[in-house]
Every structure is written in structure tokens, then in C-alpha cells.
Amino acid sequence: MSTNAELLTRRNAAVPRGVAHTTAIAAERALNSEIWDSEGKRYVDFAGGIAVLNTGHRHPKVIAAVQKQLEQFTHTCFQVVLYEPYVELAEKLNAIVPIEGPKKTILLSTGAEATENAVKIARAATSRAGVIAFTGGFHGRTIVASAMTGKVVPYKLGLGPTVPDVWHVPFPSPASGVTVEEALRYLDFLFKADVAPSRVAAIIIEPVQGEGGFHEAPVELMVALRRICDTHGIVLIADEVQTGYGRTGKMFAMEHYPVMPDLMTIAKSLAGGFPLSAVTGRAAIMDAADPGGLGGTYAGNPVACAAALAVLEVFEEEKLLDRANAIGARLKHRLAALETRNDLVPVKFARGPGAMVAFDIVKDRGGSEPDAEATKRVVQRAWQGGLVLLSCGVNANTIRILVPLTASDAIVDEGLDLLEAALRQEA
């Protein structure tokens, strides 16, 4: 096994620099909320593979389900030979996703694949092309997904023109200084100046922005979008790739709102670390595409489906929705105390529903000016000290915490101690 430094050297020679990485750690093994590198050092994992591991690394129930499926078959391509795990998982998602009426589900491989297919389905259902997204939103790195993503650096910089018929509306949040009223007024301007509502197939929104900085969509905004979509025959897509599967204290973040979307995209923690995504939606809309218009060679891989079915059992048996809320309360209580400290980097705005928690690093105590450079240094010191941590945000000054929901209180507290140490060294 290569050392951390040796593997980093090999990586730099073999892998394009466009594939960025947060740490110089080379993982050798992992379990639940802990990772060990190739040199034997242990880390507390507050990143969870970017929200993929809500059930932790190598959950025994998930691994057992995968091993059982491996003994049967690993691939047939669902469009060629059917298999039960795909159908069973679709049935279960149809039963739990908060969308009104009969539902259907297509299984895919990645979050970007889910958002792209959601747009395809919306276009087929409406015979329209336009898509409206929000500034700060993240919907993936493929061509349509990156066009919908509301952030230039690094997702669009130098990569040429994006696809047409995609527009962005300012996302209302305290960080952006945009109110719901202003966002809706801008949307009205957009309808008058650039695209008639009759040309818009879909509006896509994250209930809580992930890469954008863990900002919740206000209830008033979501209610207004539902009304606008109903008025103009537009498909409302909730992108729950990062918020889904218990991270916000509900199985899906849309359960925090009094309205429902037409389509929902799901990925990340869906299969406990195995590549799998889904689009679930109203059956009439999902059936709009002609046979052959949807699918994928690896889409809905049977091994990943088996893992996903086990993940649902883990959520029920271990009451992970309750655990998400308990972890979130623990995190926010500690972060609130850190905000009052004078011996740490200035931090503020601890926020987020359930265990989808983040805070900002600013230049001056009591101020709001982002400090992206200090944020980079804190993340680096964190992993050097034994904590895997991620930043995000339009201004790159947000620290997000995505610890597995299966983590013990002791591990969560240990991670918070390491976070405090990383913040203290900057002061």
C-alpha cells in the first residue's frame, strides 16, 4: 500500500488536475464514522463522502445485502433482463416520497444523471424546453446539470458555453440579501423579458442548498413556486440529492413544506455508499417519455439496489430520523458556544435542519465579510489533526458537517473537539 504522499504523487501524474480533492489522505479502510489512512492514522469523518454515508461506512446490514446479491448476479441491464431488487426499490420509493397521487420511479447511477433525466421527463411531459433554477444551486457536473448549477467557479469556468434555455433566479437567503418578494419579482421579470411561462418545462430547486452553503428555501418561496407551476403547467422538481434520506431530520426535506413537488431527484445516501440515484414522480409525468427514451446500461445496478433496500431497513430499525435530529441539536448547541469565543477564528450563522448543519467563517468578529482563505486553512488543519471536513458556499467560507447518522455521541463530540482545535490554531 502506498503512503499518503506516494499515492498523491501517483495521482498527480495519472489523474487530471480538474478532479480536485480536499485532503492528502489515502484511505485504507473505514467503518461507520471513522477512516484509517494508508499509514494507520485514524480520522473522524465529518464529510460522509459528501453526504453519501448517512448509514456510515460499511454498515453490516448493507454489506450483508451486497454480499448476498454478489452471489446471485451483478448485472443484466434492467432494460434487457428484469430483476426484483430494482422493482422492489421503486415500489418502496413510490410509497415514501412526498408526492401526491400515483407515482413511478426510474433508477439511475448518479445525482447528475437523475437531474438530467428529471429535465428530460419534464420536457417530454410539457413539450417545452425551458428550465429555471436558482443562483447558488448545485445540480451536477454534466452538461445540462452544470447549466442548471448556479455557480460559475469551479463548475463552469473555462468549460465553454452551457446549453440554452436555462435561466437563474436569485435564491432568497440572509446570506444573499435577497428576500422572497425580490426573488419572485425577478422571476416575474424573467417571464416578461426572456422566456414566457408557456415555454418553461420545469423549475428545479434544492429545498436546502448544498454546495450553495446549506441555506433553506423559505416556506413562502416553495408555496409560491407550487402556485406558479400549477398556474402555468410547469413541472416542479425538488432536487433532494443531498438533502434526501434523513439528513434534514425527515426522510426528505420537502416534508418540511406544506406543498409537494411533481418530481424528486434522489442519490447520495440512497444506497449507503454504492452508486445509485432515482427520479420519483407523478405517474402521468413519469410516463410521458416514450419507451427507450429513458434508461442506462448500468442504471439501477442490482448490487446497488440490494444495498438501497438494506439502507431503508437500517433507517427503520435504528430510528435514524430521530438520530438526525439529535445529532443536529448536539452540533448546533456546540457551534453556538463557539460563536461566542474570542480565541477562535470568527464563526457565525450556525444553521440547517436536522443533521444538515453548517456555519460561516468571517474576517471580523461581529461582521459578515466572508473569509475563504481562513476557511481553507481550517479545513486543512482539521484533516491534519484527524478530522475530515468539507467547505462549501458561494463565497467558499462555509464549513458543512455531514457526519453519518449512525455516529455515536462520543464520535460526534470528538469531531467537534478536533474542529475547535482547528479553529483555535488560526486565532
Side-chain angles (χ1 to χ4, degrees), residues 99-137:
I99 291 176
E100 188 175 8
K103 286 158 279 186
K104 289 191 175 183
T105 292
I106 178 175
L107 299 179
L108 303 153
S109 300
T110 68
E113 197 177 359
T115 58
E116 294 237 356
N117 274 274
V119 169
K120 286 170 61 177
I121 293 165
R123 285 176 169 174
T126 61
S127 298
R128 306 172 184 178
V131 178
I132 294 173
F134 286 84
T135 57

PDB file of all heavy atoms in Angstrom, residues 99-137:
ATOM      1  N   ILE A  99     -44.967  12.974  -2.751  1.00  0.00           N
ATOM      2  CA  ILE A  99     -45.562  13.493  -3.979  1.00  0.00           C
ATOM      3  C   ILE A  99     -46.990  12.975  -4.036  1.00  0.00           C
ATOM      4  O   ILE A  99     -47.254  11.808  -3.715  1.00  0.00           O
ATOM      5  CB  ILE A  99     -44.762  13.052  -5.222  1.00  0.00           C
ATOM      6  CG1 ILE A  99     -43.392  13.750  -5.235  1.00  0.00           C
ATOM      7  CG2 ILE A  99     -45.521  13.365  -6.511  1.00  0.00           C
ATOM      8  CD1 ILE A  99     -42.479  13.316  -6.363  1.00  0.00           C
ATOM      9  N   GLU A 100     -47.896  13.829  -4.452  1.00  0.00           N
ATOM     10  CA  GLU A 100     -49.314  13.483  -4.416  1.00  0.00           C
ATOM     11  C   GLU A 100     -49.683  12.504  -5.521  1.00  0.00           C
ATOM     12  O   GLU A 100     -49.206  12.606  -6.648  1.00  0.00           O
ATOM     13  CB  GLU A 100     -50.152  14.758  -4.559  1.00  0.00           C
ATOM     14  CG  GLU A 100     -51.640  14.557  -4.344  1.00  0.00           C
ATOM     15  CD  GLU A 100     -52.405  15.856  -4.369  1.00  0.00           C
ATOM     16  OE1 GLU A 100     -51.796  16.898  -4.705  1.00  0.00           O
ATOM     17  OE2 GLU A 100     -53.610  15.842  -4.050  1.00  0.00           O
ATOM     18  N   GLY A 101     -50.547  11.528  -5.179  1.00  0.00           N
ATOM     19  CA  GLY A 101     -51.122  10.633  -6.176  1.00  0.00           C
ATOM     20  C   GLY A 101     -50.222   9.473  -6.545  1.00  0.00           C
ATOM     21  O   GLY A 101     -49.174   9.248  -5.933  1.00  0.00           O
ATOM     22  N   PRO A 102     -50.613   8.696  -7.570  1.00  0.00           N
ATOM     23  CA  PRO A 102     -49.803   7.558  -8.028  1.00  0.00           C
ATOM     24  C   PRO A 102     -48.428   8.032  -8.493  1.00  0.00           C
ATOM     25  O   PRO A 102     -48.298   9.081  -9.117  1.00  0.00           O
ATOM     26  CB  PRO A 102     -50.622   6.994  -9.195  1.00  0.00           C
ATOM     27  CG  PRO A 102     -52.007   7.482  -8.962  1.00  0.00           C
ATOM     28  CD  PRO A 102     -51.881   8.819  -8.319  1.00  0.00           C
ATOM     29  N   LYS A 103     -47.406   7.228  -8.184  1.00  0.00           N
ATOM     30  CA  LYS A 103     -46.025   7.588  -8.503  1.00  0.00           C
ATOM     31  C   LYS A 103     -45.316   6.454  -9.234  1.00  0.00           C
ATOM     32  O   LYS A 103     -45.702   5.290  -9.131  1.00  0.00           O
ATOM     33  CB  LYS A 103     -45.263   7.923  -7.218  1.00  0.00           C
ATOM     34  CG  LYS A 103     -45.619   9.249  -6.596  1.00  0.00           C
ATOM     35  CD  LYS A 103     -45.295   9.321  -5.124  1.00  0.00           C
ATOM     36  CE  LYS A 103     -46.379   8.660  -4.282  1.00  0.00           C
ATOM     37  NZ  LYS A 103     -46.190   8.815  -2.846  1.00  0.00           N
ATOM     38  N   LYS A 104     -44.268   6.824  -9.959  1.00  0.00           N
ATOM     39  CA  LYS A 104     -43.378   5.856 -10.578  1.00  0.00           C
ATOM     40  C   LYS A 104     -41.941   6.330 -10.381  1.00  0.00           C
ATOM     41  O   LYS A 104     -41.695   7.516 -10.156  1.00  0.00           O
ATOM     42  CB  LYS A 104     -43.694   5.676 -12.062  1.00  0.00           C
ATOM     43  CG  LYS A 104     -45.009   4.939 -12.317  1.00  0.00           C
ATOM     44  CD  LYS A 104     -45.165   4.531 -13.780  1.00  0.00           C
ATOM     45  CE  LYS A 104     -46.440   3.695 -13.965  1.00  0.00           C
ATOM     46  NZ  LYS A 104     -46.600   3.217 -15.374  1.00  0.00           N
ATOM     47  N   THR A 105     -40.992   5.382 -10.485  1.00  0.00           N
ATOM     48  CA  THR A 105     -39.581   5.676 -10.225  1.00  0.00           C
ATOM     49  C   THR A 105     -38.703   5.065 -11.301  1.00  0.00           C
ATOM     50  O   THR A 105     -38.910   3.908 -11.697  1.00  0.00           O
ATOM     51  CB  THR A 105     -39.162   5.120  -8.848  1.00  0.00           C
ATOM     52  OG1 THR A 105     -39.826   5.858  -7.820  1.00  0.00           O
ATOM     53  CG2 THR A 105     -37.657   5.224  -8.640  1.00  0.00           C
ATOM     54  N   ILE A 106     -37.725   5.832 -11.762  1.00  0.00           N
ATOM     55  CA  ILE A 106     -36.645   5.300 -12.582  1.00  0.00           C
ATOM     56  C   ILE A 106     -35.368   5.340 -11.754  1.00  0.00           C
ATOM     57  O   ILE A 106     -35.106   6.319 -11.048  1.00  0.00           O
ATOM     58  CB  ILE A 106     -36.462   6.090 -13.895  1.00  0.00           C
ATOM     59  CG1 ILE A 106     -35.272   5.517 -14.687  1.00  0.00           C
ATOM     60  CG2 ILE A 106     -36.292   7.578 -13.653  1.00  0.00           C
ATOM     61  CD1 ILE A 106     -35.073   6.144 -16.051  1.00  0.00           C
ATOM     62  N   LEU A 107     -34.583   4.266 -11.812  1.00  0.00           N
ATOM     63  CA  LEU A 107     -33.319   4.195 -11.097  1.00  0.00           C
ATOM     64  C   LEU A 107     -32.171   4.449 -12.069  1.00  0.00           C
ATOM     65  O   LEU A 107     -32.182   3.971 -13.202  1.00  0.00           O
ATOM     66  CB  LEU A 107     -33.158   2.834 -10.424  1.00  0.00           C
ATOM     67  CG  LEU A 107     -34.229   2.480  -9.387  1.00  0.00           C
ATOM     68  CD1 LEU A 107     -33.969   1.099  -8.815  1.00  0.00           C
ATOM     69  CD2 LEU A 107     -34.273   3.513  -8.265  1.00  0.00           C
ATOM     70  N   LEU A 108     -31.171   5.192 -11.579  1.00  0.00           N
ATOM     71  CA  LEU A 108     -30.030   5.590 -12.398  1.00  0.00           C
ATOM     72  C   LEU A 108     -28.760   5.380 -11.584  1.00  0.00           C
ATOM     73  O   LEU A 108     -28.758   4.546 -10.677  1.00  0.00           O
ATOM     74  CB  LEU A 108     -30.219   7.054 -12.836  1.00  0.00           C
ATOM     75  CG  LEU A 108     -31.549   7.280 -13.592  1.00  0.00           C
ATOM     76  CD1 LEU A 108     -32.042   8.710 -13.431  1.00  0.00           C
ATOM     77  CD2 LEU A 108     -31.394   6.913 -15.056  1.00  0.00           C
ATOM     78  N   SER A 109     -27.690   6.106 -11.896  1.00  0.00           N
ATOM     79  CA  SER A 109     -26.419   5.846 -11.221  1.00  0.00           C
ATOM     80  C   SER A 109     -25.893   7.015 -10.403  1.00  0.00           C
ATOM     81  O   SER A 109     -25.278   6.812  -9.364  1.00  0.00           O
ATOM     82  CB  SER A 109     -25.352   5.435 -12.243  1.00  0.00           C
ATOM     83  OG  SER A 109     -25.743   4.269 -12.934  1.00  0.00           O
ATOM     84  N   THR A 110     -26.100   8.252 -10.863  1.00  0.00           N
ATOM     85  CA  THR A 110     -25.520   9.417 -10.190  1.00  0.00           C
ATOM     86  C   THR A 110     -26.560  10.516 -10.007  1.00  0.00           C
ATOM     87  O   THR A 110     -27.597  10.516 -10.673  1.00  0.00           O
ATOM     88  CB  THR A 110     -24.353   9.997 -10.999  1.00  0.00           C
ATOM     89  OG1 THR A 110     -24.865  10.577 -12.211  1.00  0.00           O
ATOM     90  CG2 THR A 110     -23.318   8.928 -11.335  1.00  0.00           C
ATOM     91  N   GLY A 111     -26.229  11.482  -9.148  1.00  0.00           N
ATOM     92  CA  GLY A 111     -27.125  12.605  -8.943  1.00  0.00           C
ATOM     93  C   GLY A 111     -27.312  13.427 -10.197  1.00  0.00           C
ATOM     94  O   GLY A 111     -28.429  13.856 -10.516  1.00  0.00           O
ATOM     95  N   ALA A 112     -26.228  13.677 -10.929  1.00  0.00           N
ATOM     96  CA  ALA A 112     -26.336  14.435 -12.174  1.00  0.00           C
ATOM     97  C   ALA A 112     -27.203  13.703 -13.185  1.00  0.00           C
ATOM     98  O   ALA A 112     -27.987  14.322 -13.919  1.00  0.00           O
ATOM     99  CB  ALA A 112     -24.949  14.687 -12.763  1.00  0.00           C
ATOM    100  N   GLU A 113     -27.071  12.390 -13.237  1.00  0.00           N
ATOM    101  CA  GLU A 113     -27.908  11.604 -14.143  1.00  0.00           C
ATOM    102  C   GLU A 113     -29.379  11.737 -13.754  1.00  0.00           C
ATOM    103  O   GLU A 113     -30.263  11.792 -14.617  1.00  0.00           O
ATOM    104  CB  GLU A 113     -27.464  10.137 -14.098  1.00  0.00           C
ATOM    105  CG  GLU A 113     -27.960   9.302 -15.253  1.00  0.00           C
ATOM    106  CD  GLU A 113     -27.444   7.875 -15.219  1.00  0.00           C
ATOM    107  OE1 GLU A 113     -26.668   7.532 -14.299  1.00  0.00           O
ATOM    108  OE2 GLU A 113     -27.827   7.092 -16.115  1.00  0.00           O
ATOM    109  N   ALA A 114     -29.643  11.829 -12.466  1.00  0.00           N
ATOM    110  CA  ALA A 114     -31.027  11.996 -12.004  1.00  0.00           C
ATOM    111  C   ALA A 114     -31.578  13.354 -12.408  1.00  0.00           C
ATOM    112  O   ALA A 114     -32.709  13.457 -12.901  1.00  0.00           O
ATOM    113  CB  ALA A 114     -31.103  11.808 -10.493  1.00  0.00           C
ATOM    114  N   THR A 115     -30.805  14.428 -12.191  1.00  0.00           N
ATOM    115  CA  THR A 115     -31.322  15.752 -12.532  1.00  0.00           C
ATOM    116  C   THR A 115     -31.500  15.896 -14.039  1.00  0.00           C
ATOM    117  O   THR A 115     -32.469  16.504 -14.500  1.00  0.00           O
ATOM    118  CB  THR A 115     -30.404  16.871 -11.997  1.00  0.00           C
ATOM    119  OG1 THR A 115     -29.083  16.731 -12.518  1.00  0.00           O
ATOM    120  CG2 THR A 115     -30.362  16.844 -10.476  1.00  0.00           C
ATOM    121  N   GLU A 116     -30.573  15.339 -14.823  1.00  0.00           N
ATOM    122  CA  GLU A 116     -30.716  15.417 -16.288  1.00  0.00           C
ATOM    123  C   GLU A 116     -31.963  14.660 -16.746  1.00  0.00           C
ATOM    124  O   GLU A 116     -32.698  15.124 -17.620  1.00  0.00           O
ATOM    125  CB  GLU A 116     -29.470  14.857 -16.968  1.00  0.00           C
ATOM    126  CG  GLU A 116     -28.224  15.676 -16.729  1.00  0.00           C
ATOM    127  CD  GLU A 116     -27.559  16.165 -18.006  1.00  0.00           C
ATOM    128  OE1 GLU A 116     -28.025  15.814 -19.104  1.00  0.00           O
ATOM    129  OE2 GLU A 116     -26.573  16.918 -17.898  1.00  0.00           O
ATOM    130  N   ASN A 117     -32.201  13.487 -16.173  1.00  0.00           N
ATOM    131  CA  ASN A 117     -33.381  12.717 -16.570  1.00  0.00           C
ATOM    132  C   ASN A 117     -34.662  13.379 -16.098  1.00  0.00           C
ATOM    133  O   ASN A 117     -35.688  13.292 -16.779  1.00  0.00           O
ATOM    134  CB  ASN A 117     -33.274  11.280 -16.048  1.00  0.00           C
ATOM    135  CG  ASN A 117     -32.507  10.385 -16.992  1.00  0.00           C
ATOM    136  OD1 ASN A 117     -33.065   9.809 -17.926  1.00  0.00           O
ATOM    137  ND2 ASN A 117     -31.202  10.275 -16.761  1.00  0.00           N
ATOM    138  N   ALA A 118     -34.622  14.045 -14.945  1.00  0.00           N
ATOM    139  CA  ALA A 118     -35.804  14.771 -14.497  1.00  0.00           C
ATOM    140  C   ALA A 118     -36.179  15.855 -15.499  1.00  0.00           C
ATOM    141  O   ALA A 118     -37.362  16.064 -15.804  1.00  0.00           O
ATOM    142  CB  ALA A 118     -35.559  15.374 -13.111  1.00  0.00           C
ATOM    143  N   VAL A 119     -35.170  16.544 -16.038  1.00  0.00           N
ATOM    144  CA  VAL A 119     -35.433  17.564 -17.057  1.00  0.00           C
ATOM    145  C   VAL A 119     -35.979  16.923 -18.329  1.00  0.00           C
ATOM    146  O   VAL A 119     -36.934  17.433 -18.940  1.00  0.00           O
ATOM    147  CB  VAL A 119     -34.153  18.373 -17.350  1.00  0.00           C
ATOM    148  CG1 VAL A 119     -34.326  19.245 -18.587  1.00  0.00           C
ATOM    149  CG2 VAL A 119     -33.790  19.235 -16.144  1.00  0.00           C
ATOM    150  N   LYS A 120     -35.397  15.806 -18.752  1.00  0.00           N
ATOM    151  CA  LYS A 120     -35.906  15.107 -19.934  1.00  0.00           C
ATOM    152  C   LYS A 120     -37.370  14.726 -19.756  1.00  0.00           C
ATOM    153  O   LYS A 120     -38.197  14.897 -20.663  1.00  0.00           O
ATOM    154  CB  LYS A 120     -35.074  13.845 -20.200  1.00  0.00           C
ATOM    155  CG  LYS A 120     -33.700  14.090 -20.765  1.00  0.00           C
ATOM    156  CD  LYS A 120     -32.859  12.827 -20.769  1.00  0.00           C
ATOM    157  CE  LYS A 120     -33.454  11.718 -21.606  1.00  0.00           C
ATOM    158  NZ  LYS A 120     -32.569  10.519 -21.644  1.00  0.00           N
ATOM    159  N   ILE A 121     -37.700  14.212 -18.583  1.00  0.00           N
ATOM    160  CA  ILE A 121     -39.080  13.793 -18.317  1.00  0.00           C
ATOM    161  C   ILE A 121     -40.012  14.995 -18.332  1.00  0.00           C
ATOM    162  O   ILE A 121     -41.112  14.945 -18.902  1.00  0.00           O
ATOM    163  CB  ILE A 121     -39.143  13.044 -16.967  1.00  0.00           C
ATOM    164  CG1 ILE A 121     -38.391  11.710 -17.066  1.00  0.00           C
ATOM    165  CG2 ILE A 121     -40.590  12.821 -16.537  1.00  0.00           C
ATOM    166  CD1 ILE A 121     -38.085  11.070 -15.730  1.00  0.00           C
ATOM    167  N   ALA A 122     -39.582  16.099 -17.704  1.00  0.00           N
ATOM    168  CA  ALA A 122     -40.407  17.303 -17.687  1.00  0.00           C
ATOM    169  C   ALA A 122     -40.620  17.840 -19.093  1.00  0.00           C
ATOM    170  O   ALA A 122     -41.721  18.287 -19.447  1.00  0.00           O
ATOM    171  CB  ALA A 122     -39.752  18.365 -16.805  1.00  0.00           C
ATOM    172  N   ARG A 123     -39.584  17.808 -19.913  1.00  0.00           N
ATOM    173  CA  ARG A 123     -39.712  18.274 -21.291  1.00  0.00           C
ATOM    174  C   ARG A 123     -40.659  17.382 -22.087  1.00  0.00           C
ATOM    175  O   ARG A 123     -41.468  17.872 -22.882  1.00  0.00           O
ATOM    176  CB  ARG A 123     -38.326  18.342 -21.948  1.00  0.00           C
ATOM    177  CG  ARG A 123     -37.499  19.522 -21.467  1.00  0.00           C
ATOM    178  CD  ARG A 123     -36.099  19.528 -22.043  1.00  0.00           C
ATOM    179  NE  ARG A 123     -35.423  20.807 -21.781  1.00  0.00           N
ATOM    180  CZ  ARG A 123     -34.154  21.047 -22.080  1.00  0.00           C
ATOM    181  NH1 ARG A 123     -33.406  20.101 -22.642  1.00  0.00           N
ATOM    182  NH2 ARG A 123     -33.628  22.239 -21.829  1.00  0.00           N
ATOM    183  N   ALA A 124     -40.574  16.077 -21.870  1.00  0.00           N
ATOM    184  CA  ALA A 124     -41.474  15.158 -22.573  1.00  0.00           C
ATOM    185  C   ALA A 124     -42.921  15.386 -22.149  1.00  0.00           C
ATOM    186  O   ALA A 124     -43.844  15.319 -22.969  1.00  0.00           O
ATOM    187  CB  ALA A 124     -41.067  13.714 -22.301  1.00  0.00           C
ATOM    188  N   ALA A 125     -43.123  15.677 -20.860  1.00  0.00           N
ATOM    189  CA  ALA A 125     -44.481  15.836 -20.339  1.00  0.00           C
ATOM    190  C   ALA A 125     -45.122  17.150 -20.766  1.00  0.00           C
ATOM    191  O   ALA A 125     -46.353  17.233 -20.875  1.00  0.00           O
ATOM    192  CB  ALA A 125     -44.468  15.745 -18.811  1.00  0.00           C
ATOM    193  N   THR A 126     -44.301  18.177 -21.003  1.00  0.00           N
ATOM    194  CA  THR A 126     -44.843  19.506 -21.297  1.00  0.00           C
ATOM    195  C   THR A 126     -44.673  19.933 -22.752  1.00  0.00           C
ATOM    196  O   THR A 126     -45.273  20.933 -23.167  1.00  0.00           O
ATOM    197  CB  THR A 126     -44.157  20.570 -20.418  1.00  0.00           C
ATOM    198  OG1 THR A 126     -42.750  20.575 -20.713  1.00  0.00           O
ATOM    199  CG2 THR A 126     -44.377  20.283 -18.940  1.00  0.00           C
ATOM    200  N   SER A 127     -43.830  19.214 -23.491  1.00  0.00           N
ATOM    201  CA  SER A 127     -43.455  19.624 -24.856  1.00  0.00           C
ATOM    202  C   SER A 127     -42.852  21.023 -24.859  1.00  0.00           C
ATOM    203  O   SER A 127     -43.053  21.819 -25.781  1.00  0.00           O
ATOM    204  CB  SER A 127     -44.676  19.564 -25.796  1.00  0.00           C
ATOM    205  OG  SER A 127     -45.175  18.239 -25.889  1.00  0.00           O
ATOM    206  N   ARG A 128     -42.109  21.333 -23.813  1.00  0.00           N
ATOM    207  CA  ARG A 128     -41.416  22.610 -23.676  1.00  0.00           C
ATOM    208  C   ARG A 128     -39.932  22.346 -23.399  1.00  0.00           C
ATOM    209  O   ARG A 128     -39.556  21.224 -23.051  1.00  0.00           O
ATOM    210  CB  ARG A 128     -42.011  23.427 -22.525  1.00  0.00           C
ATOM    211  CG  ARG A 128     -43.516  23.649 -22.602  1.00  0.00           C
ATOM    212  CD  ARG A 128     -44.003  24.293 -21.316  1.00  0.00           C
ATOM    213  NE  ARG A 128     -45.454  24.460 -21.273  1.00  0.00           N
ATOM    214  CZ  ARG A 128     -46.109  24.962 -20.235  1.00  0.00           C
ATOM    215  NH1 ARG A 128     -45.432  25.348 -19.141  1.00  0.00           N
ATOM    216  NH2 ARG A 128     -47.425  25.084 -20.258  1.00  0.00           N
ATOM    217  N   ALA A 129     -39.114  23.398 -23.496  1.00  0.00           N
ATOM    218  CA  ALA A 129     -37.674  23.216 -23.321  1.00  0.00           C
ATOM    219  C   ALA A 129     -37.101  23.949 -22.113  1.00  0.00           C
ATOM    220  O   ALA A 129     -36.093  23.521 -21.544  1.00  0.00           O
ATOM    221  CB  ALA A 129     -36.932  23.685 -24.572  1.00  0.00           C
ATOM    222  N   GLY A 130     -37.697  25.056 -21.692  1.00  0.00           N
ATOM    223  CA  GLY A 130     -37.084  25.934 -20.706  1.00  0.00           C
ATOM    224  C   GLY A 130     -36.980  25.339 -19.313  1.00  0.00           C
ATOM    225  O   GLY A 130     -37.840  24.568 -18.873  1.00  0.00           O
ATOM    226  N   VAL A 131     -35.913  25.712 -18.622  1.00  0.00           N
ATOM    227  CA  VAL A 131     -35.692  25.288 -17.232  1.00  0.00           C
ATOM    228  C   VAL A 131     -35.257  26.501 -16.424  1.00  0.00           C
ATOM    229  O   VAL A 131     -34.380  27.260 -16.855  1.00  0.00           O
ATOM    230  CB  VAL A 131     -34.614  24.189 -17.135  1.00  0.00           C
ATOM    231  CG1 VAL A 131     -34.376  23.807 -15.671  1.00  0.00           C
ATOM    232  CG2 VAL A 131     -34.992  22.970 -17.948  1.00  0.00           C
ATOM    233  N   ILE A 132     -35.852  26.674 -15.261  1.00  0.00           N
ATOM    234  CA  ILE A 132     -35.478  27.756 -14.344  1.00  0.00           C
ATOM    235  C   ILE A 132     -34.893  27.141 -13.079  1.00  0.00           C
ATOM    236  O   ILE A 132     -35.480  26.225 -12.482  1.00  0.00           O
ATOM    237  CB  ILE A 132     -36.686  28.645 -14.008  1.00  0.00           C
ATOM    238  CG1 ILE A 132     -37.155  29.382 -15.279  1.00  0.00           C
ATOM    239  CG2 ILE A 132     -36.334  29.645 -12.909  1.00  0.00           C
ATOM    240  CD1 ILE A 132     -38.441  30.154 -15.096  1.00  0.00           C
ATOM    241  N   ALA A 133     -33.713  27.621 -12.706  1.00  0.00           N
ATOM    242  CA  ALA A 133     -33.031  27.168 -11.496  1.00  0.00           C
ATOM    243  C   ALA A 133     -32.696  28.392 -10.651  1.00  0.00           C
ATOM    244  O   ALA A 133     -33.153  29.501 -10.941  1.00  0.00           O
ATOM    245  CB  ALA A 133     -31.776  26.385 -11.873  1.00  0.00           C
ATOM    246  N   PHE A 134     -31.887  28.200  -9.603  1.00  0.00           N
ATOM    247  CA  PHE A 134     -31.598  29.295  -8.678  1.00  0.00           C
ATOM    248  C   PHE A 134     -30.096  29.505  -8.516  1.00  0.00           C
ATOM    249  O   PHE A 134     -29.314  28.554  -8.582  1.00  0.00           O
ATOM    250  CB  PHE A 134     -32.237  29.010  -7.311  1.00  0.00           C
ATOM    251  CG  PHE A 134     -33.730  29.198  -7.316  1.00  0.00           C
ATOM    252  CD1 PHE A 134     -34.563  28.177  -7.746  1.00  0.00           C
ATOM    253  CD2 PHE A 134     -34.290  30.408  -6.929  1.00  0.00           C
ATOM    254  CE1 PHE A 134     -35.942  28.358  -7.788  1.00  0.00           C
ATOM    255  CE2 PHE A 134     -35.665  30.596  -6.961  1.00  0.00           C
ATOM    256  CZ  PHE A 134     -36.495  29.562  -7.395  1.00  0.00           C
ATOM    257  N   THR A 135     -29.722  30.757  -8.299  1.00  0.00           N
ATOM    258  CA  THR A 135     -28.325  31.065  -8.031  1.00  0.00           C
ATOM    259  C   THR A 135     -27.871  30.315  -6.783  1.00  0.00           C
ATOM    260  O   THR A 135     -28.619  30.176  -5.813  1.00  0.00           O
ATOM    261  CB  THR A 135     -28.124  32.570  -7.813  1.00  0.00           C
ATOM    262  OG1 THR A 135     -28.979  32.999  -6.733  1.00  0.00           O
ATOM    263  CG2 THR A 135     -28.476  33.357  -9.062  1.00  0.00           C
ATOM    264  N   GLY A 136     -26.645  29.825  -6.829  1.00  0.00           N
ATOM    265  CA  GLY A 136     -26.109  29.074  -5.698  1.00  0.00           C
ATOM    266  C   GLY A 136     -26.488  27.615  -5.688  1.00  0.00           C
ATOM    267  O   GLY A 136     -25.932  26.831  -4.913  1.00  0.00           O
ATOM    268  N   GLY A 137     -27.441  27.222  -6.527  1.00  0.00           N
ATOM    269  CA  GLY A 137     -27.852  25.821  -6.566  1.00  0.00           C
ATOM    270  C   GLY A 137     -26.800  24.947  -7.217  1.00  0.00           C
ATOM    271  O   GLY A 137     -26.003  25.406  -8.043  1.00  0.00           O
TER     272      GLY A 137
END
